[in-house]
Amino acid sequence: MKNPFSFSLDNKRYHTLNYFYKSKLGEKLYKAVIDCGFTCPNIDGSKGIGGCIFCDGGSGYFTAKGTVVEQLEREVERIRNKHKNPRFIAYFQANTNTYAPCGVLKDIYEQALKFPNIAGISIGTRADCLPDDVLELLCELNKRTMLTIELGMQSVHEKTIEKINRKYSHEEFLNGYFKLKNRNIRVCLHIINGLPNETAEMMRETARQTAILHPDAVKLQMLHIVEGTPVAKMYRSGEFSLLSREEYIEIIADQLELLPPEVVIERITGDGDKRKLIAPLWSADKIAVLGGIDKCLAARDSYQGRLYK
C-alpha cells in the first residue's frame, strides 16, 4: 500500500524527528542527554514539594553526574559505539532547565555549544519558568543554533492538572508557550496519555487543543508507574487503571489524525526506568508499540493530519 503521507522517507505515516533532521540538515542527529543538577519550583518548595505525581528525579535516569563537558563526552562515546561520526543535539533533560540565575544558564548552554559536533540544543522546562532575562538569553541562542524548548503540557484538562500536582494552570501554560512562539523559538509540547481518570475522549481533546496551538513539535507517551513516586501509591490502591497496549495504540492513532501534518512527532512512546518500572510493562517493548502504531494507521489507511481542520 502506497504511503499517503508526504512528510516521510519510509513507511511512517507521521512526521518523525528523523525526517525533520534529514530534511532540514541532510543527516540524522542524536540526542546527548545532560543533567545539570537543577531543581524545580514544584520540588524546592517555591510552589510545591515532591513534584508532579509521576516525577522520578526529574526524568534524569539516563544521565550520569559530572560537568556538561564530562557528560557530553560520555554520551558521545555511548552513541559512537553504534554510529560513526554522528552530530548531536545537547539535550538538557532533567528537571527544570531554565530554573536558575541567567548567568548560570548562559554558562552551561555555552559549554554545550562549544562542544565538538553539537548541531543544536534542546532545553526541557516548565512554562512558568521563563522570566524576561531568560527569554532574552534564549532569543540570543536561537540566532546562533538550532534551539528547541520542551514544555511539559501533559494535558489541557484542569482537573487532570490538579490531580497530577503540576502547580500551575493551563492558562499559565499558554502564557509561557506564547512567550516563546512570539519570539519565533521552536517549541515541543509533551503530552502524557493514561493520566489518572482521563478518558480516551479527554486525550483526543488534548490533541485537538494542541492542534489549535500548532506547536513545532510534540512528544506523545504513556504514563509510566515508577517505584517510589506518588502515582505508584495511587495505582496500587486501585485509584485508577492503565491503558492496555491496544488501547494506547488506538489513542495515538486518533491523536495523530488530529494533529497538523507539519508538526514533528519527536516521541510516540516512552522509556520508563526498567529497574523501577511497575506498569505498564508492555511499554518496555518499544518495537512492538511502534510496530503496532504503524499497523494501526495502515489498517485505517490513515495518517497524521487526516482529520486536522
Side-chain angles (χ1 to χ4, degrees):
M1 185 181 298
K2 184 179 179 181
N3 189 348
F5 187 63
S6 57
F7 296 88
S8 179
L9 296 171
D10 48 29
N11 68 324
K12 299 296 183 184
R13 293 173 176 242
Y14 55 91
H15 195 150
T16 65
L17 187 58
N18 186 43
Y19 176 86
F20 171 73
Y21 286 148
K22 287 187 175 180
S23 299
K24 187 176 181 67
L25 301 174
E27 62 182 315
K28 183 178 178 67
L29 300 181
Y30 299 86
K31 287 192 175 180
V33 183
I34 305 166
D35 180 352
C36 288
F38 293 133
T39 184
C40 170
N42 197 12
I43 291 176
D44 69 6
S46 63
K47 286 198 171 183
I49 297 173
C52 297
I53 61 172
F54 47 75
C55 182
D56 178 33
S59 299
Y61 48 83
F62 291 116
T63 59
K65 301 301 180 183
T67 67
V68 169
V69 171
E70 288 169 343
Q71 291 185 65
L72 285 173
E73 287 173 343
R74 285 194 294 268
E75 282 288 272
V76 167
E77 182 179 0
R78 175 183 65 83
I79 295 167
R80 282 182 174 158
N81 285 333
K82 299 179 181 179
H83 309 281
K84 293 182 179 179
N85 302 317
R87 296 180 74 204
F88 308 93
I89 297 293
Y91 180 23
F92 295 92
Q93 180 190 33
N95 282 309
T96 305
N97 292 277
T98 59
Y99 189 52
C102 195
V104 173
L105 297 174
K106 181 176 176 61
D107 179 61
I108 65 162
Y109 299 156
E110 292 293 342
Q111 289 180 53
L113 287 176
K114 291 176 183 176
F115 195 84
N117 295 319
I118 294 293
I121 60 176
S122 183
I123 300 169
T125 191
R126 287 166 57 104
D128 61 345
C129 292
L130 296 167
D132 289 344
D133 58 346
V134 171
L135 286 167
E136 289 181 15
L137 172 61
L138 296 178
C139 286
E140 193 269 331
L141 291 172
N142 197 41
K143 296 174 183 176
R144 297 166 49 204
T145 192
M146 185 167 63
L147 173 67
T148 299
I149 304 299
E150 291 191 12
L151 297 180
M153 184 175 75
Q154 293 92 33
S155 172
V156 301
H157 303 286
E158 290 295 348
K159 287 185 178 180
T160 301
I161 291 167
E162 292 177 10
K163 189 79 172 178
I164 66 176
N165 196 46
R166 197 179 73 182
K167 296 297 184 183
Y168 69 101
S169 68
H170 187 59
E171 182 178 354
E172 291 175 281
F173 169 84
L174 292 175
N175 182 49
Y177 172 77
F178 285 116
K179 283 181 180 180
L180 295 167
K181 289 307 297 176
N182 291 340
R183 290 167 171 82
N184 296 313
I185 293 174
R186 185 175 186 270
V187 182
C188 176
L189 302 185
H190 190 179
I191 295 170
I192 300 179
N193 289 318
L195 291 169
N197 307 127
E198 282 212 347
T199 64
E201 178 54 28
M202 291 173 73
M203 296 174 219
R204 287 190 288 267
E205 183 60 22
T206 290
R208 291 188 191 98
Q209 295 300 317
T210 301
I212 293 170
L213 294 176
H214 210 298
D216 301 279
V218 168
K219 284 186 172 181
L220 300 164
Q221 75 166 72
M222 177 64 189
L223 174 67
H224 290 119
I225 310 298
V226 177
E227 193 67 71
T229 59
V231 77
K233 294 181 181 178
M234 296 166 62
Y235 175 70
R236 283 180 168 139
S237 71
E239 188 171 333
F240 70 101
S241 59
L242 291 175
L243 299 172
S244 68
R245 183 171 69 185
E246 292 72 23
E247 289 171 327
Y248 178 78
I249 287 169
E250 291 289 336
I251 288 168
I252 287 289
D254 292 344
Q255 291 174 321
L256 289 174
E257 289 176 337
L258 294 164
L259 292 170
E262 304 83 13
V263 173
V264 181
I265 308 301
E266 292 206 2
R267 178 191 293 165
I268 206 163
T269 183
D271 296 293
D273 186 345
K274 294 180 181 178
R275 298 167 300 177
K276 298 190 290 181
L277 182 65
I278 298 170
L281 296 180
W282 58 257
S283 67
D285 189 350
K286 290 182 66 174
I287 292 176
V289 177
L290 293 171
I293 294 166
D294 291 340
K295 290 177 182 178
C296 181
L297 289 171
R300 295 184 184 189
D301 194 20
S302 192
Y303 48 86
Q304 182 182 335
R306 186 179 69 85
L307 301 179
Y308 173 66
K309 298 178 181 179

